[in-house]
Amino acid sequence: MSQKFKTLPRRQRTLTPPVETTDQTLEHTVEPIQVVGMRPAWGLPSSSPFCLKLETWLRMEKIPYTPIALTKPPRSDTGKVPYLLRADGSTVADSNFIISTMAKEFHIDLAHGATAEERARTHLILRTLEESLYFVAVWERWQQAEYWPTTREAIFGYLPPVLRQLLAMTIRRKMLASLQGQGIARHDPVRIAAIGQADLAALSTLLGERPYFHGDRPGVADASAYGTLANLLGFPHATPLKRAVERHANLVDFCGRMNKAYWSEVHGDEIEENVRMLSCPEFASRIPLDRRTG
């Protein structure tokens, strides 16, 4: 069932991850990191898989940050979000490059002692999530007529009506062109759904009975998987992709595990390990106002 939301202002404040901060983190944190990204939507901290991925990774590594909601064209050299905004005005764009930059500055081992084979596995998981499944999700949200109004409201709903309509139409035209260029939109809907279902089945198999894709401890692949899967499950329509995720209990449980570990103050400590409740109207009332769209 479709649900409309009115975007509320997102306060610029420092978020300290809900875990004890280590001396190493304090040693490297002079000012909170500013992360510019998409606004919250559908009970999620961000409607962008990549923004949610980055924020989750920062929480995983206990790095305090300040989320900044995008209200004008991105200042990043890629023209996309998320991006880091430094005190000197410089930026770092692309979630993967931001993570690798932060890892160097905070002396974090992204591999966590993984073998070459395990690092290759992580690389392939990221490619599946970010270079294949992502475009199926974008096609559903931006091209499909029945889902576009919900996407439009979540991303552009805070703008005045005339500007909202103009900007939404312009950005949507660019997004549809990029889907044609990437190739996913050249297929028929049945084939596109099959591509997404195959990606999800592969991810479910790779996760297996592990708590995280990286094993007992979450890594970059887990942050990316959460950013993507939580967005699919949180979208307030029973899309083919959302139903496909729900068929894999281990993927749903994985999202619930990540919710409790890193987003308890947003999702509530009492949340069941099932992010399908994110689409329930009652759930939005439990989200702090500065993190809510609705």
Side-chain angles (χ1 to χ4, degrees):
M1 179 176 63
S2 176
Q3 185 177 355
K4 284 192 173 183
F5 297 93
K6 178 181 177 183
T7 303
L8 298 180
R10 187 183 187 187
R11 281 184 288 178
Q12 299 180 3
R13 79 206 194 298
T14 302
L15 290 180
T16 302
V19 287
E20 184 178 352
T21 305
T22 64
D23 292 338
Q24 182 184 27
T25 299
L26 293 175
E27 176 185 342
H28 292 278
T29 303
V30 178
E31 293 184 1
I33 296 167
Q34 292 190 327
V35 177
V36 182
M38 300 299 293
R39 306 173 73 83
W42 315 313
L44 293 168
S46 177
S47 61
S48 161
F50 296 110
C51 295
L52 184 52
K53 164 195 171 182
L54 176 59
E55 288 197 46
T56 300
W57 181 83
L58 290 170
R59 287 165 174 258
M60 283 167 46
E61 298 297 344
K62 309 174 187 178
I63 302 175
Y65 67 95
T66 299
I68 309 293
L70 185 71
T71 57
K72 55 186 176 182
R75 289 175 49 188
S76 62
D77 55 2
T78 62
K80 297 181 179 181
V81 290
Y83 64 90
L84 236 57
L85 181 60
R86 296 189 182 275
D88 62 2
S90 63
T91 63
V92 182
D94 189 287
S95 61
N96 286 320
F97 288 118
I98 294 171
I99 288 173
S100 62
T101 298
M102 291 293 96
K104 290 178 182 177
E105 294 182 2
F106 283 76
H107 306 292
I108 296 169
D109 177 15
L110 290 177
H112 296 305
T115 65
E117 183 177 346
E118 289 169 335
R119 291 196 299 272
R121 182 173 179 272
T122 294
H123 178 82
L124 293 175
I125 290 173
L126 289 173
R127 288 296 174 268
T128 300
L129 288 163
E130 300 176 8
E131 303 295 340
S132 180
L133 186 58
Y134 167 75
F135 287 102
V136 178
V138 170
W139 176 84
E140 276 193 342
R141 288 187 184 183
W142 289 79
Q143 182 156 322
Q144 296 297 85
E146 62 265 46
Y147 308 136
W148 164 241
T150 301
T151 302
R152 180 185 59 211
E153 184 67 18
I155 296 176
F156 305 103
Y158 70 97
L159 294 169
V162 175
L163 181 58
R164 179 193 316 162
Q165 182 177 0
L166 179 62
L167 189 58
M169 183 174 59
T170 301
I171 300 299
R172 188 190 189 203
R173 187 182 303 119
K174 291 181 178 180
M175 291 294 289
L176 297 186
S178 71
L179 292 174
Q180 282 288 329
Q182 189 270 343
I184 192 71
R186 298 172 186 267
H187 299 293
D188 63 69
V190 173
R191 186 173 295 176
I192 294 173
I195 292 171
Q197 291 164 9
D199 286 342
L200 290 167
L203 290 167
S204 177
T205 298
L206 288 173
L207 179 61
E209 297 182 359
R210 299 180 182 89
Y212 304 106
F213 285 92
H214 194 76
D216 293 330
R217 174 178 177 175
V220 177
D222 296 282
S224 182
Y226 177 73
T228 298
L229 297 174
N231 258 278
L232 295 179
L233 288 167
F235 193 65
H237 291 279
T239 70
L241 212 48
K242 178 175 181 174
R243 293 197 300 269
V245 179
E246 291 173 336
R247 286 195 289 269
H248 298 286
N250 63 340
L251 296 182
V252 174
D253 290 343
F254 163 81
C255 286
R257 199 172 297 120
M258 295 290 286
N259 286 342
K260 287 189 173 182
Y262 302 110
W263 291 101
S264 60
E265 88 287 2
V266 174
H267 293 149
D269 293 326
E270 74 282 8
I271 187 173
E272 298 178 3
E273 289 194 355
N274 188 337
V275 295
R276 277 174 288 187
M277 72 181 296
L278 289 173
S279 61
C280 296
E282 298 82 3
F283 188 75
S285 64
R286 297 203 299 270
I287 301 172
L289 289 177
D290 56 345
R291 298 292 298 184
R292 191 195 309 171
T293 300

